[in-house]
Amino acid sequence: MALKNHQPLDPAYLEKLQDYYAEHKVIPSYSVLATLWGISAKSWVSECVRRFEEAGYLDWTPDRQLKPGARFFERRLAHDTVQAGLPNPALSDGYDLVTIDDYLVRVPSKTSLVRVKGESMIDAGIHDGDLIVVEQQPNANVGEIVVAIVDNEFTVKYLDREKGGFVLKPANKAFPVIRPQGRLEIFGVMAGLVRKTR
Amino acid sequence: MALKNHQPLDPAYLEKLQDYYAEHKVIPSYSVLATLWGISAKSWVSECVRRFEEAGYLDWTPDRQLKPGARFFERRLAHDTVQAGLPNPALSDGYDLVTIDDYLVRVPSKTSLVRVKGESMIDAGIHDGDLIVVEQQPNANVGEIVVAIVDNEFTVKYLDREKGGFVLKPANKAFPVIRPQGRLEIFGVMAGLVRKTR
DNA sequence: CGGTGCACAGAACGATTGTTCGGTAAGCTA
DNA sequence: TAGCTTACCGAACAATCGTTCTGTGCACCG
C-alpha cells in the first residue's frame, strides 16, 4: 500500500473535511472520515480529530457530537484574483462566513424577509425593492429600525418616542412622521438588508 | 405528562431543528432530536424524519447519515400586504420561500464578497461596512457599479467614460472622480449588497 | 549502535445508534 | 356502536459508533 508523508499532517485533511461539509452540510462519522482521509484505523482518526479540536477547527455539541469549530469556516471574503498577486485585500477581521444566510440570520424560526416599498428610508441606505431581514419580536428600542404593521401593510421606519407615545420616523425629509393612533404593532426589528442589482 | 396536539405536526418541529442547526451546524441524533422535540419514542422521531425527508427538508449522505435537504435553508419572504391572522405566520400563505444565497448568487464560482470601505458610494445606498456581492469579470458597461483594483485595493464605483478613457465615479460629491493612468483593472461587477445591522 | 519518538494499523469492547414491531388512547366517520 | 386512522409510547435488537490499548515500522539523534 502506498504510504504518504504529511509533514504538518493538518492542511490536506482539513480541506477534505471542509469540502465534504460544503457538499453535505454535516460532519461525517469516524469511519467515513477514515476513508475520506485515506486512513485505515479509526484510532488514528480519533487522534487527528483531537488535534483539530485543539486548534479550534472542530468542536462538540453538548451531546458530544462532533461539529464544526469556531475556525472551521475561516475564509477570505474576497479571494485573490485570477492572476496578479495582489496582497490580502482589506478584510479587517478574520471573518467566518459560510453562507450569506448564515451571516445575516441568527434565529431562523424568528427571521423573515420583507420587501421594501418606496423611498421613505433612503437616507438610511434602504432603497425601494430591497429585502429587509427581520427578527420578529413584539417590541423594540428607540432608534432601531423596525418593521411595523400600519393599515395592514408592512412599513420600515425608525422607532422614536414623542410625548410619551411611539412614532415611526422615515429617513427622508419628504415623508411625514407616522403617529399611530392606538397601539403601534411592531412586527420585528431590522437585522440586515439584502439588495439585488443584477 | 402533558400531551400536545400539533395539527399539521410539521412546522414547530422543523423550526426547532433549524434553530438547533443554526447553533451547532450539525443534525443531531434521533435521541437528541427526541428531547429537542419533546418526544419520548425514537420510533416516532424516525417517522417524523421520514416525513421531513419526503418533503425535501432532510436528506441522507451516501453513507446514510442524516443531513439538511434542499429546502432546509429556505427562508420566509413576507409579502407587503399583511393578511389578518398574522400572529402565527402560517407557512405557504403569504410567504414565498427563498434562500438569500440563491437570491443573490447566480454563479458561485465567479462570485465573491468585498467589504466596502468609506462613504464614497453613499448616494447609491452603499454604506461603510456593507458587503458587495461581486460577479468577477474583466470588463463592464458604462453605468454599472464595478469593483476595481486601484493601488492594490478594492474600490467600488460607478464605471463611466470620459474622453475615450474609463473613469470611476463615486456616488458622493465630496469624493473625486478617479481617472486611472494606464489600464483600469476591473475585478467584477456588483450583483448585490448585504448589510448586517444587528 | 541502541533508543526514543512519531505516524499509523488492528483488534476488542461497551455505548449508542436507528429500525422494527406491537401496543394504546383519542378522534373522526358511518 | 364499531371500525379506521392518527399520534404517540416502549421494548428489543443488530449494526455502528467512538474509545482504548497494544503493536509495528520508519526517522531522527546521539
Side-chain angles (χ1 to χ4, degrees), chain A:
Chain A
M1 51 211 100
L3 301 182
K4 307 164 195 174
N5 263 356
H6 320 271
Q7 303 89 310
L9 159 71
D10 300 346
Y13 286 0
L14 184 58
E15 282 175 18
K16 285 182 183 177
L17 217 199
Q18 285 168 330
D19 288 349
Y20 183 98
Y21 188 91
E23 189 183 347
H24 296 299
K25 303 279 166 20
V26 142
I27 301 285
S29 73
Y30 280 24
S31 36
V32 175
L33 267 180
T35 70
L36 186 70
W37 285 345
I39 289 175
S40 64
K42 281 194 295 177
S43 57
W44 184 238
V45 173
S46 176
E47 170 64 17
C48 294
V49 165
R50 227 211 62 246
R51 295 182 193 186
F52 283 132
E53 183 209 343
E54 238 172 47
Y57 291 106
L58 290 173
D59 201 358
W60 304 90
T61 68
D63 316 289
R64 292 230 17 108
Q65 190 188 5
L66 204 55
K67 69 166 195 173
R71 304 186 57 188
F72 189 83
F73 300 108
E74 246 178 30
R75 173 180 123 197
R76 302 261 161 72
L77 291 192
H79 285 280
D80 46 330
T81 42
V82 221
Q83 43 115 34
L86 48 131
N88 286 356
L91 51 121
S92 49
D93 33 10
Y95 245 104
D96 46 357
L97 172 63
V98 223
T99 63
I100 302 174
D101 278 272
D102 213 67
Y103 177 65
L104 290 178
V105 178
R106 299 187 299 182
V107 188
S109 66
K110 295 218 180 301
T111 304
S112 47
L113 300 171
V114 173
R115 190 173 295 279
V116 174
K117 261 167 68 180
E119 310 285 332
S120 70
M121 289 296 280
I122 201 142
D123 291 345
I126 300 173
H127 289 204
D128 185 45
D130 289 356
L131 289 181
I132 301 286
V133 179
V134 190
E135 289 186 5
Q136 284 169 250
Q137 56 181 68
N139 35 47
N141 299 319
V142 168
E144 287 183 305
I145 298 180
V146 301
V147 176
I149 300 171
V150 177
D151 294 334
N152 262 1
E153 287 210 354
F154 286 119
T155 317
V156 183
K157 296 283 182 301
Y158 279 109
L159 182 67
D160 203 352
R161 178 159 241 156
E162 210 175 61
K163 298 179 204 153
F166 285 113
V167 298
L168 298 172
K169 285 201 171 173
N172 183 340
K173 281 151 290 174
F175 283 74
V177 175
I178 298 176
R179 298 179 176 82
Q181 70 284 43
R183 187 167 153 54
L184 172 63
E185 192 175 355
I186 291 182
F187 178 71
V189 176
M190 171 169 167
L193 180 144
V194 173
R195 181 183 306 154
K196 186 179 188 172
T197 59
R198 201 176 191 188

Side-chain angles (χ1 to χ4, degrees), chain B residues 4 6 13 39-41 43-44 51:
Chain B
K4 308 164 194 175
H6 320 270
Y13 286 1
I39 290 175
S40 66
S43 54
W44 182 240
R51 296 182 193 186

Side-chain angles (χ1 to χ4, degrees), chain B:
Chain B
M1 49 209 106
L3 301 183
K4 308 164 194 175
N5 264 356
H6 320 270
Q7 302 92 310
L9 157 74
D10 300 345
Y13 286 1
L14 184 58
E15 285 176 11
K16 285 182 184 174
L17 217 199
Q18 285 169 329
D19 288 349
Y20 183 98
Y21 188 92
E23 188 183 347
H24 294 301
K25 301 282 159 32
V26 143
I27 303 284
S29 73
Y30 280 24
S31 37
V32 175
L33 268 180
T35 69
L36 186 68
W37 286 345
I39 290 175
S40 66
K42 281 194 294 176
S43 54
W44 182 240
V45 173
S46 175
E47 171 64 16
C48 294
V49 164
R50 227 211 63 246
R51 296 182 193 186
F52 283 132
E53 183 208 343
E54 240 173 46
Y57 291 107
L58 290 173
D59 200 358
W60 303 90
T61 68
D63 316 290
R64 293 231 12 110
Q65 191 188 5
L66 204 55
K67 69 166 194 172
R71 306 187 56 191
F72 188 84
F73 300 102
E74 281 176 350
R75 203 112 285 138
R76 301 201 248 308
L77 171 59
H79 290 168
D80 42 31
T81 45
V82 189
Q83 69 259 31
L86 179 69
N88 279 2
L91 282 220
S92 71
D93 272 0
Y95 293 94
D96 274 339
L97 295 164
V98 149
T99 87
I100 301 175
D101 283 89
D102 287 349
Y103 179 67
L104 289 180
V105 178
R106 298 187 301 181
V107 190
S109 65
K110 293 220 177 303
T111 304
S112 50
L113 298 170
V114 173
R115 189 172 294 278
V116 173
K117 263 166 66 182
E119 309 284 332
S120 70
M121 290 295 282
I122 201 143
D123 291 344
I126 300 173
H127 289 203
D128 186 46
D130 289 355
L131 290 179
I132 300 286
V133 181
V134 189
E135 288 186 7
Q136 285 169 248
Q137 55 182 68
N139 36 49
N141 299 317
V142 167
E144 288 183 306
I145 298 179
V146 300
V147 176
I149 301 170
V150 176
D151 294 333
N152 266 359
E153 286 211 354
F154 286 118
T155 317
V156 182
K157 296 285 183 299
Y158 279 110
L159 182 67
D160 203 354
R161 178 160 241 154
E162 211 176 59
K163 299 180 206 155
F166 284 112
V167 299
L168 298 172
K169 284 200 172 174
N172 183 339
K173 283 151 289 175
F175 284 74
V177 174
I178 298 177
R179 299 180 176 82
Q181 70 286 37
R183 185 166 153 55
L184 172 63
E185 193 174 355
I186 291 182
F187 178 72
V189 176
M190 171 171 168
L193 180 145
V194 173
R195 181 184 305 155
K196 187 178 188 172
T197 59
R198 201 174 193 190

